[in-house]
Amino acid sequence: MESRTSLASWQALTKHAQEMKHTHMRDLFDKNSERFAQFSIQLPPFLLDYSKNLIDSKTLTLLTELAKECEVEAWRDKMFSGERINSTEDRAVLHTALRNRSQKPIMLDGVNVTEEVQQSLNHIKAFSDKIRQGYWKGYSGKRITDVVNIGVGGSNLGPQMVTEALQQYSDNSINVHYVSNVDGTQIANVLRPLNPEKVLFIISSKTFTTTETMTNARTAMKWLVSASFDESAIAKHFVAVSSNKKNAMEFGIDKENIFDMWDWVGGRFSLWSAIGLPIAIDLGFDNFIELLEGAFEIDEHFCRAPLEQNAPVILALLSLWNCTFLGAQSQAILPYDQSLHMLSAYLQQAEMESNGKSVTWDGDEITYPTVPSIWGELGINGQHAFYQYLHQSNNVVPADFIGSVESVTPVQGHHETLMANFFAQTQALMAGVNEEQVRADLKAKGRTQDYIDKVSPHKIHKGNRPTNTILMKRISPRSLGSLIALYEHKIFVQGILLQICSFDQWGVELGKGLANEIQKEIESGEVTQNHDSSTLGLINYFKTLSKETVHNAS
């Protein structure tokens, strides 16, 4: 397959990037009073302003040409129709089918996926209603008051991010907790205040073999059985989201309490499926559907809007421009809404696990920079932590600023202060302040010439730091669904542009496989010599101190 670098648009962008590196965004804004209107997209769920990027009309034209040469639209249609675009695992990629509100049939291997999804939604509705209305009873006949979701990766990050973002939409009739870390501290802290008679566990694992998840699940099972003195209680306190019904049933979960998962849904794109069961239980099924509706709205936009007016496509092209052509190595996700405090972590997994790859579809080594590392924090907290780095370090970090017009919890004067900072930061990152401005400001404040000469270099901000601004009306189930889908499609387009398979995660598998072998060695006490000296030394040090701890305790 032809390398991306051989495309005419790629080569033109390489040359254009060298020209733009000598341009400042201040000058672009000074020359074009219509820049905001030209480089922004307004959709019902949000406004996307990307004018504060180091681009001009030529940049956008070349980037759009690249998207066409890479056949982004054709690949998009393949994904939505169920073609097996996950080539390394020979799977379709159909998380969009989970929120296909049009009910249009989607056929995969002779099966109408849309019908299967609807059956799963019916199952989610019936079960979540039963829990919320108190009809589901525990082993002692008491209603469920707490739900503990046990999963890892997308099985945890997705539903937890959503339920915490939408707390204001919960009636608090059920308390939802999350356990993902195999460090026993987390599950111990979660279980300690709970009443076993009133707890429901959701075990979310596609294979029902994930080591971390199953370790926590077995601990939860022992906790329950030690309280109930009856293994049959498992059936009344455990349900599963899995494609491996055999393993789930052997664990003690009734067949009718196993929710479907499919191999055409990747974990980091799965919150729209039964992985979202905690969302439906916490917020109510109607709000879960609103989440799906919001995502579907962006699916429709992604499928119908021209490339140059297509929000996910624009975000993907800008990421490529900033990272691959201009050399940025990381990107910050900066939500200015307390509700979105987990969004940075969620998008970190979604993008980096999807596109953190170094070979093309054909297995050839990639010779160009691909996606940046993703990191971030709530806006105001970040301002007093790492924004100094964003403003004045030698490394340019593009950033997405995400805010809302209305607060979900209005407190007089607070939201205005928050949003004043929101707007000011992108302006400061773009414009900066030059030496002439610094000196004039210090002089106006009556500073001495010696002081001005000494301090001026430290107060200069070069600016020219790219940002995107996403401004929502209000955080709601529908708008959050739209925001998540926006980034999902951005990630997909990035993968097409870079010739990366976005839907496998072989890098994750390597470490897990090694961990399984080392765990066997630790438990058996027979450590092999098939390790490098560092790893062997660390294992032996751990074993020695563990023995001393046990000895001292006895």
Side-chain angles (χ1 to χ4, degrees):
M1 184 176 289
E2 187 178 35
S3 170
R4 291 294 190 236
T5 57
S6 65
L7 297 176
S9 55
W10 188 287
Q11 294 174 6
L13 281 163
T14 301
K15 180 180 178 182
H16 180 59
Q18 296 307 310
E19 299 167 354
M20 292 300 289
K21 285 178 180 179
H22 301 290
T23 305
H24 201 290
M25 274 187 260
R26 279 195 308 263
D27 299 327
L28 295 174
F29 273 92
D30 289 342
K31 292 175 183 176
N32 182 3
S33 61
E34 297 297 314
R35 186 170 173 83
F36 169 76
Q38 184 179 356
F39 298 116
S40 64
I41 299 172
Q42 188 168 344
L43 300 174
F46 53 75
L47 165 72
L48 167 63
D49 170 24
Y50 60 98
S51 61
K52 293 189 180 85
N53 279 275
L54 191 57
I55 60 172
D56 57 16
S57 56
K58 180 180 178 180
T59 318
L60 190 59
T61 297
L62 289 174
L63 287 170
T64 305
E65 288 176 4
L66 176 64
K68 291 176 180 176
E69 282 198 86
C70 293
E71 300 181 319
V72 164
E73 292 162 306
W75 280 102
R76 174 199 64 197
D77 295 343
K78 289 178 183 181
M79 178 176 72
F80 275 85
S81 66
E83 288 195 35
R84 297 178 182 276
I85 64 170
N86 179 350
S87 57
T88 63
E89 297 178 312
D90 192 29
R91 293 175 179 173
V93 177
L94 277 174
H95 52 277
T96 53
L98 299 169
R99 67 249 187 160
N100 173 24
R101 307 307 298 159
S102 71
Q103 298 299 306
K104 176 183 176 182
I106 301 172
M107 304 304 295
L108 180 64
D109 298 330
V111 176
N112 184 355
V113 167
T114 301
E115 289 183 357
E116 288 193 335
V117 170
Q118 187 55 54
Q119 291 170 7
S120 181
L121 285 172
N122 293 341
H123 193 187
I124 294 169
K125 177 178 175 12
F127 184 81
S128 60
D129 284 350
K130 193 181 295 186
I131 295 294
R132 287 172 57 79
Q133 293 167 12
Y135 297 135
W136 181 287
K137 308 292 185 183
Y139 69 84
S140 65
K142 295 178 180 178
R143 67 176 292 165
I144 299 299
T145 59
D146 293 86
V147 169
V148 177
N149 187 78
I150 297 178
V152 71
S155 300
N156 171 77
L157 270 173
Q160 185 174 12
M161 183 272 290
V162 170
T163 54
E164 296 205 13
L166 299 175
Q167 280 182 346
Q168 297 301 317
Y169 292 85
S170 171
D171 61 7
N172 297 314
S173 59
I174 304 291
N175 302 309
V176 178
H177 316 267
Y178 293 89
V179 173
S180 60
N181 197 343
V182 75
D183 183 336
T185 302
Q186 186 182 35
I187 191 166
N189 287 342
V190 168
L191 296 181
R192 189 173 291 115
L194 303 184
N195 182 345
E197 299 172 87
K198 300 179 178 182
V199 178
L200 176 78
F201 294 95
I202 302 172
I203 312 302
S204 295
S205 172
K206 185 185 288 189
T207 62
F208 221 75
T209 60
T210 306
T211 302
E212 302 91 334
T213 299
M214 298 316 299
T215 299
N216 281 321
R218 285 189 289 270
T219 296
M221 178 183 67
K222 291 175 184 176
W223 178 78
L224 174 70
V225 172
S226 68
S228 65
F229 302 103
D230 186 358
E231 288 194 1
S232 66
I234 296 170
K236 297 182 179 181
H237 290 267
F238 281 81
V239 301
V241 182
S242 180
S243 59
N244 191 338
K245 293 189 177 182
K246 178 176 178 291
N247 278 19
M249 291 169 65
E250 288 176 354
F251 186 88
I253 298 174
D254 284 349
K255 185 177 181 180
E256 60 267 25
N257 296 329
I258 302 171
F259 292 79
D260 290 326
M261 274 291 289
W262 303 275
D263 68 3
W264 39 263
V265 180
R268 53 194 174 276
F269 304 104
S270 63
L271 67 85
W272 322 101
S273 70
I275 291 293
L277 183 59
I279 303 172
I281 292 174
D282 189 15
L283 307 179
F285 185 75
D286 289 346
N287 280 324
F288 182 64
I289 291 298
E290 279 292 294
L291 188 78
L292 304 187
E293 292 280 3
F296 178 67
E297 191 171 351
I298 295 301
D299 292 346
E300 292 286 278
H301 165 76
F302 180 48
C303 288
R304 296 178 180 179
L307 294 176
E308 62 275 9
Q309 298 170 20
N310 195 305
V313 173
I314 291 296
L315 283 181
L317 289 170
L318 290 170
S319 176
L320 183 77
W321 171 246
N322 288 324
C323 179
T324 305
F325 292 100
L326 295 180
Q329 296 181 344
S330 70
Q331 179 179 352
I333 303 294
L334 307 173
Y336 275 69
D337 193 304
Q338 183 66 35
S339 301
L340 299 177
H341 73 99
M342 285 193 65
L343 182 65
S344 301
Y346 176 78
L347 294 180
Q348 186 177 64
Q349 187 215 16
E351 183 163 326
M352 293 171 73
E353 191 168 85
S354 296
N355 292 334
K357 316 286 174 60
S358 58
V359 296
T360 67
W361 297 326
D362 293 334
D364 298 326
E365 194 75 21
I366 291 176
T367 59
Y368 43 83
T370 53
V371 294
S373 56
I374 304 295
W375 56 282
E377 176 58 274
L378 284 172
I380 292 296
N381 293 348
Q383 287 180 203
H384 295 272
F386 54 79
Y387 275 38
Q388 167 62 45
Y389 182 90
L390 297 185
H391 282 287
Q392 287 189 304
S393 77
N394 284 331
N395 295 323
V396 174
V397 180
D400 286 1
F401 282 71
I402 304 164
S404 51
V405 174
E406 299 176 26
S407 171
V408 295
T409 311
V411 178
Q412 187 174 7
H414 282 248
H415 200 60
E416 291 79 5
T417 301
L418 177 73
M419 295 309 291
N421 280 272
F422 178 80
F423 298 127
Q425 288 296 330
T426 61
Q427 181 179 347
L429 286 164
M430 181 277 289
V433 57
N434 60 31
E435 184 175 3
E436 182 181 353
Q437 293 170 309
V438 169
R439 286 180 173 275
D441 179 62
L442 291 173
K443 186 176 181 179
K445 292 177 179 177
R447 296 294 191 176
T448 67
Q449 191 60 46
D450 286 345
Y451 181 87
I452 293 173
D453 292 340
K454 178 181 178 180
V455 173
S456 290
H458 299 277
K459 292 177 70 70
I460 293 170
H461 292 58
K462 295 179 181 178
N464 227 24
R465 313 283 168 132
T467 62
N468 298 307
T469 298
I470 298 171
L471 189 55
M472 297 183 287
K473 294 178 181 177
R474 190 175 190 270
I475 301 294
S476 68
R478 183 177 285 259
S479 67
L480 182 62
S482 295
L483 182 67
I484 298 168
L486 169 72
Y487 277 100
E488 284 184 348
H489 293 318
K490 171 213 171 184
I491 290 164
F492 165 76
V493 176
Q494 279 177 310
I496 301 304
L497 296 171
L498 294 164
Q499 284 188 314
I500 283 173
C501 184
S502 302
F503 303 103
D504 59 27
Q505 52 277 332
W506 300 109
V508 177
E509 301 302 321
L510 173 61
K512 288 167 66 175
L514 288 172
N516 289 335
E517 294 303 315
I518 291 174
Q519 182 174 347
K520 292 175 185 176
E521 295 176 11
I522 291 173
E523 291 173 348
S524 68
E526 298 177 3
V527 180
T528 71
Q529 300 301 311
N530 299 326
H531 302 290
D532 59 87
S533 61
S534 169
T535 304
L536 185 61
L538 291 168
I539 294 172
N540 286 331
Y541 181 80
F542 170 81
K543 285 170 57 63
T544 300
L545 263 65
S546 295
K547 288 179 181 177
E548 291 178 2
T549 302
V550 171
H551 175 75
N552 293 335
S554 61

